[in-house]
Amino acid sequence: MIGDVPNVEAGQEFSTRRQAHEAGVHRPLQAGICGTKKTGAESIVVSGGYKDDEDYGDVIVYTGHGGQDGAGNQASDQTLDDSGNAALVTSYLEGLPVRVLRGYQAGTPYAPASGYRYDGLYRVTNYGSKLGIDGFLIWQFRLEAYDDTPTPQATQQAELPSAPGEGEAAVTGNETPERITSTVQRIVRSSAVKRQVKEWHDNRCQICDLRIEVPGGSYSEGAHIRALGAPHNGPDTTGNVLCLCPNCHVMLDAGAIVIEDDLTVIRGGQPAGTLRTDPRHTIDLECVRHHRERWRQ
Amino acid sequence: MIGDVPNVEAGQEFSTRRQAHEAGVHRPLQAGICGTKKTGAESIVVSGGYKDDEDYGDVIVYTGHGGQDGAGNQASDQTLDDSGNAALVTSYLEGLPVRVLRGYQAGTPYAPASGYRYDGLYRVTNYGSKLGIDGFLIWQFRLEAYDDTPTPQATQQAELPSAPGEGEAAVTGNETPERITSTVQRIVRSSAVKRQVKEWHDNRCQICDLRIEVPGGSYSEGAHIRALGAPHNGPDTTGNVLCLCPNCHVMLDAGAIVIEDDLTVIRGGQPAGTLRTDPRHTIDLECVRHHRERWRQ
């Protein structure tokens, strides 16, 4: 399951991987990443298995899976075809939370002195490849703690595992400037309802037909037609959600696009084609009308 | 100024509008909205001047300015040409924080018993028009408290000013389900650096040339080329920021777009035109190279 598991809070310790497995925090007994390309990553273990990892507490630079020899050295390139790496790309593209378990082996200031500690939910805020220390391509994922995830306390006054770079991004102690300089907000987090609609449409925009392809996946957004909450009080149902590209999402939210009862799309006051539908996806016309009324100006 | 003002914390009370003016919390002595289309709204006063307002504490449905007669009844349509209303649209499009001051006159459970109270920073999460109670068009703005804005305590066990609608959006006491069901994340908040770049390019995408027009303004996003924070540690400077439409922003962030040193845009591995520049906007080629290296795969 994605997100917090029942009866386990951030900060809880486990003596062994098996205990963490039994609590449902991290199900595999060996793999560092639990998840698939389809579901996203449920959880990761930060335990020093890859020498390019960096840990700043609230921010983790996590190296993907694969390409190591038996001695733990990188011996070939990593790829996004690896199911763990692909899972982390999906977590990024869907804005899904990832459980983080830290293991004593990492030996960083944020690692527990022994065993494993569940440190709550993080999100993947960017990813990319580079040549690792051993000269092979690695993929790295930046994970940031959510604002309501407790900041793990550094257990040692040791140096941080690597310099974070020059200038304003320098990390001093526990002040976590890394979080402050983040640019997280680009990705729209998908709820279960939104993911269903996006899956039906295979991430193709129902208005302009664009499907944004990126390394390791594709991206779209679930957009409520009638907005949730006051004053619009739309329902969180598939009939009230469209699969859109980000541009059409902005235009729908701000009234540059409205939809007629016959599903004609009106963009900038002019007819601009017909909303694409799917037999599994029935649009709630009451929501379409409410949205149109909101932009009657 | 936008954001918190020095020496004033959420919860601070003021006996009069003049005191709030002198503290810099809300500068006009009469107007309910302080701001312009160019700068966005600095602050608003919630004081019951418009009968269509709704106040749920963490969420405020705020009616725009204009169209009232001397007795406080709506006598004509409101428009987005009104500078206060246009300011709130800019706050929405730029993702800027708005200071909220509540006045005793509102008479809601969240109003102070007397005088005025500064209640911290909110953001505009949607807007739209409707026929108000008096039968004229009004514009309404939904404002939501930031997660770290303290929730104002209801001072009375009075009924809420209007029913929030059926189903899961029902408000019970102080549980603020309104915030939970929010879909805030679409809009990317602009820093000063990003706003500068967007202004130079007048919200037109430097890659695909699109300018998204919406009622009351236009929308673009400031995108860092070399990402901030570990592991990329890009600088927060105009040379490292592009003015992009949301679609090109997603593609740049996820490596579907990279840029050559001669500013050729490579999209999906193919040349796709040249990045548009401006004499005032010098692109930092070191950042362009770093971004390209990140997607060498």
Side-chain angles (χ1 to χ4, degrees):
Chain A
M1 78 182 276
I2 301 288
D4 275 317
V5 296
N7 306 316
V8 179
E9 293 198 356
Q12 187 166 330
E13 302 201 344
F14 302 91
S15 304
T16 62
R17 287 276 300 251
R18 179 160 292 281
Q19 286 185 3
H21 158 81
E22 285 166 2
V25 171
H26 187 74
R27 296 188 295 148
L29 290 170
Q30 296 252 335
I33 305 169
C34 175
T36 64
K37 176 168 181 168
K38 183 170 164 59
T39 60
E42 289 186 16
S43 54
I44 62 169
V45 182
V46 180
S47 57
Y50 291 85
K51 53 188 81 169
D52 292 279
D53 283 0
E54 305 171 33
D55 191 345
Y56 306 103
D58 274 357
V59 173
I60 298 164
V61 179
Y62 189 75
T63 307
H65 174 262
Q68 286 189 333
D69 62 21
N73 293 312
Q74 210 65 29
S76 62
D77 289 346
Q78 294 185 345
T79 76
L80 294 182
D81 294 332
D82 176 276
S83 71
N85 300 345
L88 283 166
V89 171
T90 298
S91 299
Y92 170 78
L93 293 173
E94 299 285 335
L96 298 173
V98 179
R99 292 188 298 274
V100 167
L101 191 72
R102 282 186 173 85
Y104 71 98
Q105 309 95 322
T108 67
Y110 297 102
S114 66
Y116 298 85
R117 187 183 64 229
Y118 173 55
D119 279 337
L121 299 178
Y122 286 61
R123 56 187 160 195
V124 182
T125 59
N126 66 50
Y127 66 110
S129 63
K130 71 169 190 181
L131 285 184
I133 292 169
D134 290 330
F136 290 94
L137 197 72
I138 59 171
W139 285 89
Q140 288 197 302
F141 300 86
R142 176 183 163 105
L143 290 104
E144 289 185 40
Y146 285 90
D147 285 346
D148 55 358
T149 299
T151 304
Q153 293 301 305
T155 52
Q156 315 161 31
Q157 276 298 331
E159 284 175 62
L160 286 166
S162 94
E166 67 282 82
E168 64 242 305
V171 174
T172 52
N174 215 11
E175 291 175 12
T176 65
E178 294 288 331
R179 184 196 278 178
I180 292 161
T181 56
S182 152
T183 52
V184 160
Q185 320 241 354
R186 176 90 282 295
I187 294 295
V188 173
R189 179 168 171 177
S190 291
S191 63
V193 168
K194 288 181 180 177
R195 293 197 80 190
Q196 176 63 76
V197 172
K198 291 163 60 176
E199 190 183 321
W200 282 337
H201 294 280
D202 198 17
N203 288 331
R204 191 173 292 284
C205 178
Q206 289 182 254
I207 290 178
C208 76
D209 231 41
L210 179 69
R211 185 169 183 266
I212 294 181
E213 310 283 352
V214 302
S218 56
Y219 180 74
S220 66
E221 296 177 357
H224 285 97
I225 304 167
R226 179 174 174 172
L228 301 182
H232 305 295
N233 301 308
D236 192 18
T237 55
T238 57
N240 188 32
V241 169
L242 298 178
C243 172
L244 299 182
C245 73
N247 284 358
C248 287
H249 190 178
V250 166
M251 289 190 269
L252 183 81
D253 278 0
I257 285 175
V258 294
I259 300 164
E260 303 281 6
D261 280 3
D262 66 359
L263 302 188
T264 300
V265 174
I266 309 292
R267 185 166 52 207
Q270 302 295 323
T274 304
L275 188 78
R276 200 189 63 248
T277 51
D278 182 282
R280 297 163 292 186
H281 186 202
T282 303
I283 309 294
D284 186 335
L285 290 179
E286 188 282 321
C287 293
V288 164
R289 276 177 220 127
H290 189 282
H291 175 265
R292 207 165 60 227
E293 280 294 304
R294 178 178 151 200
W295 300 105
R296 56 190 297 158
Q297 23 180 349
Chain B
M1 78 182 275
I2 300 289
D4 276 316
V5 295
N7 306 317
V8 179
E9 294 199 353
Q12 187 166 330
E13 301 201 346
F14 302 91
S15 304
T16 62
R17 288 277 298 254
R18 181 161 291 281
Q19 286 185 3
H21 157 81
E22 285 165 3
V25 171
H26 186 73
R27 297 188 294 149
L29 290 169
Q30 295 252 338
I33 305 169
C34 175
T36 64
K37 176 168 182 169
K38 183 170 165 62
T39 61
E42 289 186 15
S43 54
I44 62 168
V45 183
V46 179
S47 57
Y50 290 85
K51 56 188 79 170
D52 293 280
D53 282 1
E54 305 171 32
D55 191 345
Y56 306 104
D58 275 357
V59 173
I60 298 165
V61 179
Y62 189 75
T63 307
H65 174 263
Q68 285 188 335
D69 62 20
N73 293 312
Q74 209 66 30
S76 62
D77 289 346
Q78 294 185 344
T79 76
L80 293 183
D81 295 332
D82 176 276
S83 71
N85 299 345
L88 284 165
V89 171
T90 298
S91 299
Y92 169 79
L93 293 172
E94 299 285 336
L96 299 173
V98 179
R99 293 188 297 276
V100 168
L101 191 71
R102 282 188 173 84
Y104 70 97
Q105 308 95 323
T108 66
Y110 296 102
S114 65
Y116 298 86
R117 187 182 63 229
Y118 173 56
D119 279 337
L121 299 178
Y122 285 61
R123 56 187 160 195
V124 182
T125 58
N126 67 49
Y127 66 111
S129 62
K130 72 169 190 181
L131 285 183
I133 292 169
D134 290 330
F136 291 94
L137 196 72
I138 59 171
W139 284 89
Q140 289 197 302
F141 300 87
R142 176 181 164 105
L143 289 105
E144 290 185 40
Y146 285 91
D147 285 347
D148 55 0
T149 299
T151 304
Q153 292 301 304
T155 52
Q156 313 161 30
Q157 276 298 331
E159 286 176 60
L160 286 165
S162 93
E166 68 282 81
E168 63 244 304
V171 173
T172 50
N174 214 10
E175 291 176 11
T176 65
E178 294 287 329
R179 185 195 279 175
I180 293 162
T181 55
S182 153
T183 51
V184 162
Q185 320 239 354
R186 176 90 282 295
I187 294 296
V188 173
R189 179 168 171 175
S190 290
S191 64
V193 168
K194 288 181 179 177
R195 292 197 81 190
Q196 177 64 78
V197 172
K198 291 164 59 175
E199 190 183 320
W200 283 336
H201 295 281
D202 198 17
N203 287 332
R204 192 173 292 284
C205 178
Q206 290 181 254
I207 290 177
C208 76
D209 231 41
L210 179 69
R211 185 170 182 265
I212 295 181
E213 310 283 353
V214 303
S218 56
Y219 181 75
S220 65
E221 296 177 357
H224 284 96
I225 303 167
R226 179 174 174 174
L228 301 181
H232 306 296
N233 301 309
D236 192 18
T237 55
T238 57
N240 188 31
V241 169
L242 298 178
C243 172
L244 298 181
C245 74
N247 284 359
C248 286
H249 190 178
V250 166
M251 288 190 271
L252 182 82
D253 279 0
I257 285 176
V258 295
I259 300 166
E260 303 282 6
D261 280 3
D262 66 359
L263 303 188
T264 299
V265 174
I266 307 293
R267 186 166 50 206
Q270 300 296 323
T274 304
L275 189 76
R276 199 188 64 248
T277 51
D278 181 282
R280 297 163 292 187
H281 186 200
T282 303
I283 308 295
D284 186 337
L285 290 178
E286 188 282 319
C287 293
V288 164
R289 277 177 219 125
H290 189 282
H291 175 265
R292 207 167 58 228
E293 281 295 303
R294 177 178 152 201
W295 301 106
R296 57 190 298 157
Q297 23 178 350

mmCIF file with all atom_site columns, all heavy atoms in Angstrom, chain A residues 23-43:
data_model
loop_
_atom_site.group_PDB
_atom_site.id
_atom_site.type_symbol
_atom_site.label_atom_id
_atom_site.label_alt_id
_atom_site.label_comp_id
_atom_site.label_asym_id
_atom_site.label_entity_id
_atom_site.label_seq_id
_atom_site.pdbx_PDB_ins_code
_atom_site.Cartn_x
_atom_site.Cartn_y
_atom_site.Cartn_z
_atom_site.occupancy
_atom_site.B_iso_or_equiv
_atom_site.pdbx_formal_charge
_atom_site.auth_seq_id
_atom_site.auth_comp_id
_atom_site.auth_asym_id
_atom_site.auth_atom_id
_atom_site.pdbx_PDB_model_num
ATOM 1   N N   . ALA A 1 23 ? 5.733  -5.605  9.844   1.00 0.00 ? 23 ALA A N   1
ATOM 2   C CA  . ALA A 1 23 ? 4.907  -4.431  10.149  1.00 0.00 ? 23 ALA A CA  1
ATOM 3   C C   . ALA A 1 23 ? 4.318  -3.806  8.882   1.00 0.00 ? 23 ALA A C   1
ATOM 4   O O   . ALA A 1 23 ? 3.485  -2.898  8.963   1.00 0.00 ? 23 ALA A O   1
ATOM 5   C CB  . ALA A 1 23 ? 5.736  -3.393  10.902  1.00 0.00 ? 23 ALA A CB  1
ATOM 6   N N   . GLY A 1 24 ? 4.794  -4.288  7.712   1.00 0.00 ? 24 GLY A N   1
ATOM 7   C CA  . GLY A 1 24 ? 4.279  -3.745  6.454   1.00 0.00 ? 24 GLY A CA  1
ATOM 8   C C   . GLY A 1 24 ? 4.953  -2.452  6.028   1.00 0.00 ? 24 GLY A C   1
ATOM 9   O O   . GLY A 1 24 ? 4.538  -1.813  5.058   1.00 0.00 ? 24 GLY A O   1
ATOM 10  N N   . VAL A 1 25 ? 6.020  -2.053  6.723   1.00 0.00 ? 25 VAL A N   1
ATOM 11  C CA  . VAL A 1 25 ? 6.690  -0.787  6.396   1.00 0.00 ? 25 VAL A CA  1
ATOM 12  C C   . VAL A 1 25 ? 7.506  -0.932  5.114   1.00 0.00 ? 25 VAL A C   1
ATOM 13  O O   . VAL A 1 25 ? 7.488  -0.058  4.247   1.00 0.00 ? 25 VAL A O   1
ATOM 14  C CB  . VAL A 1 25 ? 7.593  -0.351  7.564   1.00 0.00 ? 25 VAL A CB  1
ATOM 15  C CG1 . VAL A 1 25 ? 8.462  0.821   7.155   1.00 0.00 ? 25 VAL A CG1 1
ATOM 16  C CG2 . VAL A 1 25 ? 6.743  0.012   8.767   1.00 0.00 ? 25 VAL A CG2 1
ATOM 17  N N   . HIS A 1 26 ? 8.232  -2.036  5.019   1.00 0.00 ? 26 HIS A N   1
ATOM 18  C CA  . HIS A 1 26 ? 9.005  -2.317  3.795   1.00 0.00 ? 26 HIS A CA  1
ATOM 19  C C   . HIS A 1 26 ? 8.947  -3.816  3.574   1.00 0.00 ? 26 HIS A C   1
ATOM 20  O O   . HIS A 1 26 ? 9.576  -4.593  4.295   1.00 0.00 ? 26 HIS A O   1
ATOM 21  C CB  . HIS A 1 26 ? 10.450 -1.839  3.947   1.00 0.00 ? 26 HIS A CB  1
ATOM 22  C CG  . HIS A 1 26 ? 11.240 -1.941  2.680   1.00 0.00 ? 26 HIS A CG  1
ATOM 23  N ND1 . HIS A 1 26 ? 11.060 -1.075  1.623   1.00 0.00 ? 26 HIS A ND1 1
ATOM 24  C CD2 . HIS A 1 26 ? 12.205 -2.815  2.284   1.00 0.00 ? 26 HIS A CD2 1
ATOM 25  C CE1 . HIS A 1 26 ? 11.887 -1.403  0.630   1.00 0.00 ? 26 HIS A CE1 1
ATOM 26  N NE2 . HIS A 1 26 ? 12.579 -2.459  1.016   1.00 0.00 ? 26 HIS A NE2 1
ATOM 27  N N   . ARG A 1 27 ? 8.214  -4.244  2.554   1.00 0.00 ? 27 ARG A N   1
ATOM 28  C CA  . ARG A 1 27 ? 7.875  -5.650  2.417   1.00 0.00 ? 27 ARG A CA  1
ATOM 29  C C   . ARG A 1 27 ? 9.007  -6.555  1.945   1.00 0.00 ? 27 ARG A C   1
ATOM 30  O O   . ARG A 1 27 ? 9.129  -7.676  2.425   1.00 0.00 ? 27 ARG A O   1
ATOM 31  C CB  . ARG A 1 27 ? 6.643  -5.776  1.526   1.00 0.00 ? 27 ARG A CB  1
ATOM 32  C CG  . ARG A 1 27 ? 5.414  -5.116  2.197   1.00 0.00 ? 27 ARG A CG  1
ATOM 33  C CD  . ARG A 1 27 ? 4.141  -5.391  1.438   1.00 0.00 ? 27 ARG A CD  1
ATOM 34  N NE  . ARG A 1 27 ? 4.153  -4.789  0.128   1.00 0.00 ? 27 ARG A NE  1
ATOM 35  C CZ  . ARG A 1 27 ? 3.541  -5.290  -0.939  1.00 0.00 ? 27 ARG A CZ  1
ATOM 36  N NH1 . ARG A 1 27 ? 2.888  -6.432  -0.842  1.00 0.00 ? 27 ARG A NH1 1
ATOM 37  N NH2 . ARG A 1 27 ? 3.592  -4.674  -2.097  1.00 0.00 ? 27 ARG A NH2 1
ATOM 38  N N   . PRO A 1 28 ? 9.871  -6.102  1.003   1.00 0.00 ? 28 PRO A N   1
ATOM 39  C CA  . PRO A 1 28 ? 10.931 -7.028  0.573   1.00 0.00 ? 28 PRO A CA  1
ATOM 40  C C   . PRO A 1 28 ? 11.971 -7.223  1.688   1.00 0.00 ? 28 PRO A C   1
ATOM 41  O O   . PRO A 1 28 ? 12.222 -6.296  2.465   1.00 0.00 ? 28 PRO A O   1
ATOM 42  C CB  . PRO A 1 28 ? 11.581 -6.324  -0.625  1.00 0.00 ? 28 PRO A CB  1
ATOM 43  C CG  . PRO A 1 28 ? 10.706 -5.162  -0.943  1.00 0.00 ? 28 PRO A CG  1
ATOM 44  C CD  . PRO A 1 28 ? 9.940  -4.830  0.285   1.00 0.00 ? 28 PRO A CD  1
ATOM 45  N N   . LEU A 1 29 ? 12.589 -8.394  1.725   1.00 0.00 ? 29 LEU A N   1
ATOM 46  C CA  . LEU A 1 29 ? 13.613 -8.647  2.745   1.00 0.00 ? 29 LEU A CA  1
ATOM 47  C C   . LEU A 1 29 ? 14.995 -8.237  2.251   1.00 0.00 ? 29 LEU A C   1
ATOM 48  O O   . LEU A 1 29 ? 15.911 -8.035  3.047   1.00 0.00 ? 29 LEU A O   1
ATOM 49  C CB  . LEU A 1 29 ? 13.597 -10.122 3.140   1.00 0.00 ? 29 LEU A CB  1
ATOM 50  C CG  . LEU A 1 29 ? 12.329 -10.495 3.925   1.00 0.00 ? 29 LEU A CG  1
ATOM 51  C CD1 . LEU A 1 29 ? 12.219 -12.007 4.079   1.00 0.00 ? 29 LEU A CD1 1
ATOM 52  C CD2 . LEU A 1 29 ? 12.345 -9.830  5.299   1.00 0.00 ? 29 LEU A CD2 1
ATOM 53  N N   . GLN A 1 30 ? 15.166 -8.108  0.924   1.00 0.00 ? 30 GLN A N   1
ATOM 54  C CA  . GLN A 1 30 ? 16.479 -7.753  0.385   1.00 0.00 ? 30 GLN A CA  1
ATOM 55  C C   . GLN A 1 30 ? 16.459 -6.439  -0.394  1.00 0.00 ? 30 GLN A C   1
ATOM 56  O O   . GLN A 1 30 ? 17.295 -5.576  -0.182  1.00 0.00 ? 30 GLN A O   1
ATOM 57  C CB  . GLN A 1 30 ? 16.963 -8.869  -0.568  1.00 0.00 ? 30 GLN A CB  1
ATOM 58  C CG  . GLN A 1 30 ? 17.204 -10.199 0.108   1.00 0.00 ? 30 GLN A CG  1
ATOM 59  C CD  . GLN A 1 30 ? 18.678 -10.504 0.211   1.00 0.00 ? 30 GLN A CD  1
ATOM 60  O OE1 . GLN A 1 30 ? 19.480 -10.020 -0.569  1.00 0.00 ? 30 GLN A OE1 1
ATOM 61  N NE2 . GLN A 1 30 ? 19.048 -11.321 1.184   1.00 0.00 ? 30 GLN A NE2 1
ATOM 62  N N   . ALA A 1 31 ? 15.485 -6.294  -1.303  1.00 0.00 ? 31 ALA A N   1
ATOM 63  C CA  . ALA A 1 31 ? 15.497 -5.154  -2.218  1.00 0.00 ? 31 ALA A CA  1
ATOM 64  C C   . ALA A 1 31 ? 15.351 -3.844  -1.458  1.00 0.00 ? 31 ALA A C   1
ATOM 65  O O   . ALA A 1 31 ? 14.659 -3.760  -0.452  1.00 0.00 ? 31 ALA A O   1
ATOM 66  C CB  . ALA A 1 31 ? 14.370 -5.286  -3.245  1.00 0.00 ? 31 ALA A CB  1
ATOM 67  N N   . GLY A 1 32 ? 16.028 -2.812  -1.963  1.00 0.00 ? 32 GLY A N   1
ATOM 68  C CA  . GLY A 1 32 ? 15.955 -1.503  -1.327  1.00 0.00 ? 32 GLY A CA  1
ATOM 69  C C   . GLY A 1 32 ? 14.725 -0.712  -1.716  1.00 0.00 ? 32 GLY A C   1
ATOM 70  O O   . GLY A 1 32 ? 14.339 0.228   -1.031  1.00 0.00 ? 32 GLY A O   1
ATOM 71  N N   . ILE A 1 33 ? 14.131 -1.066  -2.867  1.00 0.00 ? 33 ILE A N   1
ATOM 72  C CA  . ILE A 1 33 ? 12.953 -0.341  -3.350  1.00 0.00 ? 33 ILE A CA  1
ATOM 73  C C   . ILE A 1 33 ? 11.801 -1.328  -3.456  1.00 0.00 ? 33 ILE A C   1
ATOM 74  O O   . ILE A 1 33 ? 11.940 -2.385  -4.069  1.00 0.00 ? 33 ILE A O   1
ATOM 75  C CB  . ILE A 1 33 ? 13.201 0.276   -4.749  1.00 0.00 ? 33 ILE A CB  1
ATOM 76  C CG1 . ILE A 1 33 ? 14.444 1.174   -4.742  1.00 0.00 ? 33 ILE A CG1 1
ATOM 77  C CG2 . ILE A 1 33 ? 11.967 1.070   -5.212  1.00 0.00 ? 33 ILE A CG2 1
ATOM 78  C CD1 . ILE A 1 33 ? 14.907 1.614   -6.133  1.00 0.00 ? 33 ILE A CD1 1
ATOM 79  N N   . CYS A 1 34 ? 10.671 -0.988  -2.848  1.00 0.00 ? 34 CYS A N   1
ATOM 80  C CA  . CYS A 1 34 ? 9.470  -1.815  -2.969  1.00 0.00 ? 34 CYS A CA  1
ATOM 81  C C   . CYS A 1 34 ? 8.484  -1.091  -3.865  1.00 0.00 ? 34 CYS A C   1
ATOM 82  O O   . CYS A 1 34 ? 8.071  0.034   -3.553  1.00 0.00 ? 34 CYS A O   1
ATOM 83  C CB  . CYS A 1 34 ? 8.846  -2.048  -1.601  1.00 0.00 ? 34 CYS A CB  1
ATOM 84  S SG  . CYS A 1 34 ? 7.268  -2.931  -1.665  1.00 0.00 ? 34 CYS A SG  1
ATOM 85  N N   . GLY A 1 35 ? 8.101  -1.713  -4.981  1.00 0.00 ? 35 GLY A N   1
ATOM 86  C CA  . GLY A 1 35 ? 7.127  -1.076  -5.853  1.00 0.00 ? 35 GLY A CA  1
ATOM 87  C C   . GLY A 1 35 ? 7.309  -1.508  -7.290  1.00 0.00 ? 35 GLY A C   1
ATOM 88  O O   . GLY A 1 35 ? 8.253  -2.240  -7.615  1.00 0.00 ? 35 GLY A O   1
ATOM 89  N N   . THR A 1 36 ? 6.406  -1.045  -8.148  1.00 0.00 ? 36 THR A N   1
ATOM 90  C CA  . THR A 1 36 ? 6.453  -1.368  -9.564  1.00 0.00 ? 36 THR A CA  1
ATOM 91  C C   . THR A 1 36 ? 6.187  -0.100  -10.362 1.00 0.00 ? 36 THR A C   1
ATOM 92  O O   . THR A 1 36 ? 5.722  0.904   -9.824  1.00 0.00 ? 36 THR A O   1
ATOM 93  C CB  . THR A 1 36 ? 5.366  -2.397  -9.942  1.00 0.00 ? 36 THR A CB  1
ATOM 94  O OG1 . THR A 1 36 ? 4.079  -1.800  -9.709  1.00 0.00 ? 36 THR A OG1 1
ATOM 95  C CG2 . THR A 1 36 ? 5.483  -3.669  -9.127  1.00 0.00 ? 36 THR A CG2 1
ATOM 96  N N   . LYS A 1 37 ? 6.451  -0.182  -11.651 1.00 0.00 ? 37 LYS A N   1
ATOM 97  C CA  . LYS A 1 37 ? 6.178  0.964   -12.512 1.00 0.00 ? 37 LYS A CA  1
ATOM 98  C C   . LYS A 1 37 ? 4.702  1.350   -12.448 1.00 0.00 ? 37 LYS A C   1
ATOM 99  O O   . LYS A 1 37 ? 4.353  2.518   -12.444 1.00 0.00 ? 37 LYS A O   1
ATOM 100 C CB  . LYS A 1 37 ? 6.569  0.623   -13.958 1.00 0.00 ? 37 LYS A CB  1
ATOM 101 C CG  . LYS A 1 37 ? 6.231  1.736   -14.933 1.00 0.00 ? 37 LYS A CG  1
ATOM 102 C CD  . LYS A 1 37 ? 6.860  1.545   -16.290 1.00 0.00 ? 37 LYS A CD  1
ATOM 103 C CE  . LYS A 1 37 ? 6.491  2.722   -17.191 1.00 0.00 ? 37 LYS A CE  1
ATOM 104 N NZ  . LYS A 1 37 ? 7.267  2.759   -18.424 1.00 0.00 ? 37 LYS A NZ  1
ATOM 105 N N   . LYS A 1 38 ? 3.816  0.369   -12.347 1.00 0.00 ? 38 LYS A N   1
ATOM 106 C CA  . LYS A 1 38 ? 2.389  0.657   -12.348 1.00 0.00 ? 38 LYS A CA  1
ATOM 107 C C   . LYS A 1 38 ? 1.932  1.327   -11.046 1.00 0.00 ? 38 LYS A C   1
ATOM 108 O O   . LYS A 1 38 ? 1.164  2.288   -11.065 1.00 0.00 ? 38 LYS A O   1
ATOM 109 C CB  . LYS A 1 38 ? 1.609  -0.642  -12.578 1.00 0.00 ? 38 LYS A CB  1
ATOM 110 C CG  . LYS A 1 38 ? 0.092  -0.442  -12.666 1.00 0.00 ? 38 LYS A CG  1
ATOM 111 C CD  . LYS A 1 38 ? -0.585 -1.726  -13.127 1.00 0.00 ? 38 LYS A CD  1
ATOM 112 C CE  . LYS A 1 38 ? -2.084 -1.700  -12.868 1.00 0.00 ? 38 LYS A CE  1
ATOM 113 N NZ  . LYS A 1 38 ? -2.784 -0.597  -13.535 1.00 0.00 ? 38 LYS A NZ  1
ATOM 114 N N   . THR A 1 39 ? 2.436  0.829   -9.917  1.00 0.00 ? 39 THR A N   1
ATOM 115 C CA  . THR A 1 39 ? 1.904  1.322   -8.630  1.00 0.00 ? 39 THR A CA  1
ATOM 116 C C   . THR A 1 39 ? 2.701  2.484   -8.063  1.00 0.00 ? 39 THR A C   1
ATOM 117 O O   . THR A 1 39 ? 2.209  3.201   -7.206  1.00 0.00 ? 39 THR A O   1
ATOM 118 C CB  . THR A 1 39 ? 1.968  0.206   -7.568  1.00 0.00 ? 39 THR A CB  1
ATOM 119 O OG1 . THR A 1 39 ? 3.333  -0.192  -7.398  1.00 0.00 ? 39 THR A OG1 1
ATOM 120 C CG2 . THR A 1 39 ? 1.131  -0.988  -7.980  1.00 0.00 ? 39 THR A CG2 1
ATOM 121 N N   . GLY A 1 40 ? 3.941  2.674   -8.531  1.00 0.00 ? 40 GLY A N   1
ATOM 122 C CA  . GLY A 1 40 ? 4.846  3.595   -7.855  1.00 0.00 ? 40 GLY A CA  1
ATOM 123 C C   . GLY A 1 40 ? 5.562  2.882   -6.715  1.00 0.00 ? 40 GLY A C   1
ATOM 124 O O   . GLY A 1 40 ? 5.297  1.711   -6.434  1.00 0.00 ? 40 GLY A O   1
ATOM 125 N N   . ALA A 1 41 ? 6.510  3.586   -6.092  1.00 0.00 ? 41 ALA A N   1
ATOM 126 C CA  . ALA A 1 41 ? 7.306  2.991   -5.009  1.00 0.00 ? 41 ALA A CA  1
ATOM 127 C C   . ALA A 1 41 ? 6.566  3.139   -3.686  1.00 0.00 ? 41 ALA A C   1
ATOM 128 O O   . ALA A 1 41 ? 6.224  4.247   -3.291  1.00 0.00 ? 41 ALA A O   1
ATOM 129 C CB  . ALA A 1 41 ? 8.672  3.663   -4.927  1.00 0.00 ? 41 ALA A CB  1
ATOM 130 N N   . GLU A 1 42 ? 6.330  2.016   -3.008  1.00 0.00 ? 42 GLU A N   1
ATOM 131 C CA  . GLU A 1 42 ? 5.732  2.074   -1.671  1.00 0.00 ? 42 GLU A CA  1
ATOM 132 C C   . GLU A 1 42 ? 6.728  2.600   -0.654  1.00 0.00 ? 42 GLU A C   1
ATOM 133 O O   . GLU A 1 42 ? 6.411  3.400   0.212   1.00 0.00 ? 42 GLU A O   1
ATOM 134 C CB  . GLU A 1 42 ? 5.333  0.670   -1.201  1.00 0.00 ? 42 GLU A CB  1
ATOM 135 C CG  . GLU A 1 42 ? 4.172  0.069   -1.894  1.00 0.00 ? 42 GLU A CG  1
ATOM 136 C CD  . GLU A 1 42 ? 3.802  -1.252  -1.245  1.00 0.00 ? 42 GLU A CD  1
ATOM 137 O OE1 . GLU A 1 42 ? 4.253  -1.524  -0.108  1.00 0.00 ? 42 GLU A OE1 1
ATOM 138 O OE2 . GLU A 1 42 ? 3.061  -2.024  -1.879  1.00 0.00 ? 42 GLU A OE2 1
ATOM 139 N N   . SER A 1 43 ? 7.953  2.066   -0.732  1.00 0.00 ? 43 SER A N   1
ATOM 140 C CA  . SER A 1 43 ? 8.940  2.336   0.320   1.00 0.00 ? 43 SER A CA  1
ATOM 141 C C   . SER A 1 43 ? 10.341 2.091   -0.199  1.00 0.00 ? 43 SER A C   1
ATOM 142 O O   . SER A 1 43 ? 10.552 1.352   -1.166  1.00 0.00 ? 43 SER A O   1
ATOM 143 C CB  . SER A 1 43 ? 8.680  1.430   1.535   1.00 0.00 ? 43 SER A CB  1
ATOM 144 O OG  . SER A 1 43 ? 8.645  0.064   1.139   1.00 0.00 ? 43 SER A OG  1
#
